[in-house]
Amino acid sequence: MNILVCISSVPDTTSKINFTNNNQEFDTNGVTFIINPYDEFCLTKAIFLKEQSSDPLNCTITVLHIGTSSSDPILRKALAIGADKAVRIDQVPQNSKVVANNIFDYYSKNSFDLIFCGKESIDYNGGQVPGLLAAKINAPFINGCVGLELKNNSIEVKREVDSGHEISECNLPAVIAGQKGLVEEKDLRIPSMRGIMTARTKPLQVINSNIEITETFKITTNSKPVERSECKIIDEENIEKLVDLLSNEAKVI
Amino acid sequence: MSVLTIVENWEGNFKKTSFESVSYAKKIAEKHKTNLTVISFGSSNMNELANYGADNIINIENTSCEKTPNSLIAKICSKIINDYNLETIIVSNTNFGKSIAPLISEMADTGLFSNAVEQPVETAPLTIKCKAFSGKAFAQYESSYKKNIITILPNAIGQISEIKGEGEITNFSNTDIEDDNKLKIKSLDKTNEKISLTEADIVVSAGRGLKNAENWNMIEDLASELGAATACSKPVSDMGWRPHSEHVGQTGIAINPTLYIAIGISGAIQHLAGVSGSKNIVVINTDPEAPFFKAANYGIVGDAFTVVPKFINALKNHNN
Ligand SMILES: Cc1cc2nc3c(=O)[nH]c(=O)nc-3n(C[C@H](O)[C@H](O)[C@H](O)COP(=O)(O)OP(=O)(O)OC[C@H]3O[C@@H](n4cnc5c(N)ncnc54)[C@H](O)[C@@H]3O)c2cc1C
Ligand SMILES: Nc1ncnc2c1ncn2[C@@H]1O[C@H](COP(=O)(O)O)[C@@H](O)[C@H]1O
């Protein structure tokens, strides 16, 4: 079985978000980049599937990233966690269409049974790439996936829908947009010393992109939310005051 | 420019987010002096859509939001978009909208804006401000696609206005579009019987300060007094005190209600990311130095176990 895990590189969740160049660009100054958290759940699930398969040696996990060499550390980390192979397509991930086109190009030249993406990147929160990709491949798309079980040549999947959970079944290949639930937080792996050492011997392949960068969809400017005015502290002995403020000042109750 | 909204219903009843997207789309249509078309899947209450501005309602027969796979819904919508040459397509960024929008974007070759927070800044080229960095910032995108899909952030675009439309209904029966993806929906378990978190106007949320799962009774009581949905911080759902579906924040659900009440939550940056879009925030915490106070409109420095019961009483008196 061949599993593809698409990973994006995002600012660490503790990052303060600032912009430079007249609000045109994200300020990377002092920001640490990490594997998008949703993608890490997917990678761990892929490792579980490999470990549980009847023939682990015939199961390959490839992590794929579209980006510049600044992302190589997160690819190394993915290898140290347990991916067999990392591939970076050397192109600026201009927009979701460019990313999806690159992934599709790579998918078409190789063969994969399962394609994992995170349900969204925590930077621009598009949640676009997996759906675009599924439509390109014309494969089943399981968005917001919180459970997956392999059954011969099909999978049973559980996902979050607006009213609760949906269980469905589909054939492979399939595109999974995953999140926590595929595996739990405690299952996430911290790279061991051995993992880090063996990662050095695993391939990190850099390939050129065949996709043309288009400017058909782009960010023109960024901004930050307006600061909240000073917090009004209300004495707990005078809680009626809070009710009054919520009712007459904020007008929300 | 022609405008389309795709609306969602559960068991035939439209969601608040559906009226929100119809209302948002109608404003765009009016600006361009054009009609608003709405696609609906097997609801019998379609006239309700006219109250928010639907002029033409296309009812897709023999389908439903619950039982029809997303890919088939997307194929049907793409066909209609092409047949009627619809250019601006509005969907709410609910789980349903998030799933169908990128599929349609690929099938009908459109630009795709996710999580719009306001009306377009510009219509040629289409330019819209969208939520980014889980609420820590906004990004303004510009598209040079002829057709575009806009998913709007639930609860963010402000008032839903009632603008009467014609409400003419056409039935579309899907006989020739097939879904070859072979996704079989086997079952649906409805867990969210209560008010859905993303749609709720008021959310009562609690954190590790509550000490254990049993103490959520008073949180539930407060929520029911306010007609609110309940939420929690990440460690609370990690420890299994509350279901994962209630976890809000950067890696949980992002919400922007009119009122967010945070009880025994410290206000870590990852928590704030998912709730900072709330129009009003009340914080109840024993620690006056808790970072959440810096992000709040109203605060009470005190013990949740004494403050919450008092708060419930005061609300009861107010409601009487
Ligand atoms: C990658 C990553 C992603 C994350 N994503 C999220 C996310 O999406 N959402 C999220 O919430 N967190 C997230 N976190 C965790 C976040 O960093 C914090 O650890 C978490 O939000 C803290 O939860 P808490 O406020 O409930 O608990 P604590 O930080 O322990 O705070 C408890 C608070 O309760 C107060 N308190 C104690 N007793 C009482 C009492 N009797 N009455 C009133 N107040 C009391 C304390 O003063 C304290 O401020 C993430 C962390 C990481 C590393
Ligand atoms: N530059 C990228 N390279 C590889 N995969 C990506 C990239 N950007 C996004 N993805 C994948 O698509 C998912 C959703 O991203 P997005 O559509 O950007 O919110 C991510 O969780 C990744 O799995």
Side-chain angles (χ1 to χ4, degrees):
Chain A
M1 183 151 97
N2 281 324
I3 306 177
L4 183 67
V5 183
C6 303
I7 61 176
S8 64
S9 160
V10 296
D12 165 20
T13 56
T14 56
S15 308
K16 298 242 163 33
I17 305 301
N18 290 303
F19 300 99
T20 57
N21 191 10
N22 203 10
N23 283 329
Q24 304 268 331
E25 272 167 47
F26 174 61
D27 185 357
T28 55
N29 209 345
V31 172
T32 312
F33 283 83
I34 57 166
I35 301 175
N36 185 38
Y38 299 113
D39 307 354
E40 205 177 328
F41 286 106
C42 292
L43 175 58
T44 310
K45 180 67 185 184
I47 295 168
F48 277 18
L49 291 174
K50 176 175 171 136
E51 287 171 353
Q52 288 155 6
S53 89
S54 54
D55 188 5
L57 289 176
N58 255 324
C59 179
T60 312
I61 303 169
T62 307
V63 290
L64 175 63
H65 173 69
I66 321 306
T68 59
S69 59
S70 60
S71 305
D72 286 346
I74 68 155
L75 288 170
R76 292 256 173 246
K77 182 171 178 200
L79 291 171
I81 292 173
D84 299 301
K85 179 180 169 191
V87 177
R88 177 168 64 78
I89 303 181
D90 192 29
Q91 189 172 55
V92 176
Q94 180 80 11
N95 57 44
S96 315
K97 302 260 177 174
V98 166
V99 172
N101 286 338
N102 272 298
I103 300 175
F104 180 62
D105 187 52
Y106 186 78
Y107 167 85
S108 309
K109 291 174 181 147
N110 298 272
S111 123
F112 294 98
D113 306 292
L114 260 177
I115 301 108
F116 281 106
C117 291
K119 72 163 183 175
E120 64 180 36
S121 299
I122 62 161
D123 50 4
Y124 287 95
N125 308 102
Q128 302 186 349
V129 171
L132 293 170
L133 183 64
K136 279 183 185 294
I137 302 177
N138 195 20
F141 173 43
I142 297 92
N143 199 20
C145 188
V146 291
L148 183 155
E149 235 181 281
L150 213 51
K151 312 199 150 174
N152 297 324
N153 203 31
S154 68
I155 45 174
E156 186 174 283
V157 282
K158 181 175 178 187
R159 67 175 189 129
E160 267 178 10
V161 292
D162 294 292
S163 62
H165 289 108
E166 176 192 286
I167 310 244
S168 49
E169 203 175 85
C170 68
N171 291 336
L172 298 179
V175 177
I176 311 292
Q179 56 177 321
K180 177 171 142 185
L182 274 178
V183 299
E184 292 310 316
E185 198 101 10
K186 61 173 174 22
D187 302 324
L188 295 178
R189 300 194 176 175
I190 296 158
S192 63
M193 209 48 214
R194 200 172 142 259
I196 295 167
M197 297 307 280
T198 47
R200 291 194 186 148
T201 64
K202 292 177 181 173
L204 194 171
Q205 189 189 356
V206 180
I207 53 184
N208 290 328
S209 173
N210 297 313
I211 306 302
E212 216 182 302
I213 288 216
T214 57
E215 287 269 316
T216 45
F217 203 85
K218 61 177 187 217
I219 294 178
T220 52
T221 181
N222 297 282
S223 56
K224 301 225 288 178
V226 275
E227 298 259 331
R228 234 167 259 275
S229 50
E230 184 109 356
C231 176
K232 286 191 182 158
I233 298 290
I234 296 122
D235 183 21
E236 88 167 272
E237 297 309 324
N238 190 11
I239 198 123
E240 290 74 22
K241 174 85 180 152
L242 175 64
V243 175
D244 178 57
L245 287 167
L246 291 177
S247 167
N248 297 316
E249 186 179 77
K251 300 193 168 37
V252 288
I253 58 169
Chain B
M1 185 196 284
S2 46
V3 186
L4 169 75
T5 330
I6 302 164
V7 297
E8 177 181 6
N9 67 73
W10 290 98
E11 293 171 345
N13 297 317
F14 292 114
K15 303 181 40 162
K16 177 178 141 197
T17 49
S18 294
F19 300 133
E20 211 172 50
S21 44
V22 173
S23 174
Y24 180 94
K26 182 65 173 182
K27 291 209 181 92
I28 298 180
E30 285 198 318
K31 208 166 165 189
H32 292 270
K33 305 196 169 42
T34 177
N35 279 350
L36 171 61
T37 305
V38 180
I39 296 181
S40 161
F41 301 90
S43 166
S44 47
N45 311 330
M46 280 172 298
N47 283 323
E48 282 182 44
L49 298 171
N51 294 335
Y52 299 91
D55 295 304
N56 311 308
I57 300 163
I58 304 179
N59 172 43
I60 315 292
E61 293 175 327
N62 302 320
T63 54
S64 75
C65 295
E66 301 95 329
K67 297 200 184 90
T68 312
N70 294 149
S71 51
L72 180 55
I73 292 210
K75 279 183 187 164
I76 295 170
C77 293
S78 302
K79 178 170 173 24
I80 293 172
I81 289 165
N82 288 329
D83 286 357
Y84 290 74
N85 196 21
L86 300 163
E87 289 176 347
T88 304
I89 301 126
I90 321 292
V91 194
S92 183
N93 200 62
T94 56
N95 284 326
F96 175 78
K98 277 183 217 185
S99 303
I100 63 167
L103 297 175
I104 300 172
S105 173
E106 179 59 33
M107 293 171 188
D109 192 26
T110 76
L112 177 54
F113 295 86
S114 296
N115 283 313
V117 294
E118 339 176 303
Q119 285 281 320
V121 181
E122 210 59 77
T123 44
L126 192 58
T127 308
I128 307 178
K129 183 173 160 184
C130 298
K131 189 183 83 161
F133 294 94
S134 312
K136 290 178 190 170
F138 300 102
Q140 187 168 299
Y141 294 91
E142 181 187 287
S143 166
S144 47
Y145 282 85
K146 187 157 180 296
K147 295 189 166 113
N148 289 285
I149 303 182
I150 308 166
T151 79
I152 59 173
L153 182 66
N155 260 346
I157 55 129
Q159 284 298 311
I160 303 178
S161 30
E162 301 209 2
I163 307 174
K164 200 113 183 87
E166 302 288 325
E168 200 171 295
I169 299 169
T170 330
N171 287 311
F172 178 95
S173 89
N174 171 44
T175 47
D176 53 344
I177 304 172
E178 268 192 56
D179 192 28
D180 43 12
N181 281 336
K182 311 229 169 29
L183 181 103
K184 276 199 294 287
I185 298 177
K186 293 171 73 181
S187 65
L188 194 69
D189 76 77
K190 289 193 67 175
T191 46
N192 308 346
E193 291 290 353
K194 297 182 299 177
I195 306 164
S196 108
L197 204 46
T198 44
E199 284 184 287
D201 282 324
I202 305 182
V203 174
V204 176
S205 184
R208 198 145 56 178
L210 274 252
K211 314 279 189 289
N212 63 51
E214 288 76 60
N215 294 330
W216 250 263
N217 285 338
M218 66 179 188
I219 301 298
E220 301 262 3
D221 289 348
L222 177 59
S224 79
E225 197 57 42
L226 287 161
T230 50
C232 67
S233 66
K234 179 167 176 288
V236 165
S237 72
D238 286 346
M239 290 182 292
W241 295 356
R242 299 297 289 178
H244 172 56
S245 55
E246 283 195 5
H247 154 206
V248 291
Q250 183 151 18
T251 51
I253 295 173
I255 52 169
N256 33 327
T258 47
L259 174 60
Y260 183 71
I261 303 179
I263 304 163
I265 303 177
S266 57
I269 188 164
Q270 297 98 342
H271 185 86
L272 295 181
V275 304
S276 60
S278 310
K279 282 116 211 148
N280 293 279
I281 295 181
V282 173
V283 166
I284 301 172
N285 198 307
T286 41
D287 176 8
E289 300 297 324
F292 221 143
F293 285 114
K294 294 209 174 59
N297 304 82
Y298 306 105
I300 294 187
V301 180
D303 186 333
F305 297 99
T306 59
V307 175
V308 173
K310 281 188 205 161
F311 193 16
I312 296 172
N313 268 334
L315 284 166
K316 283 206 168 106
N317 293 337
H318 170 82
N319 290 342
N320 286 334

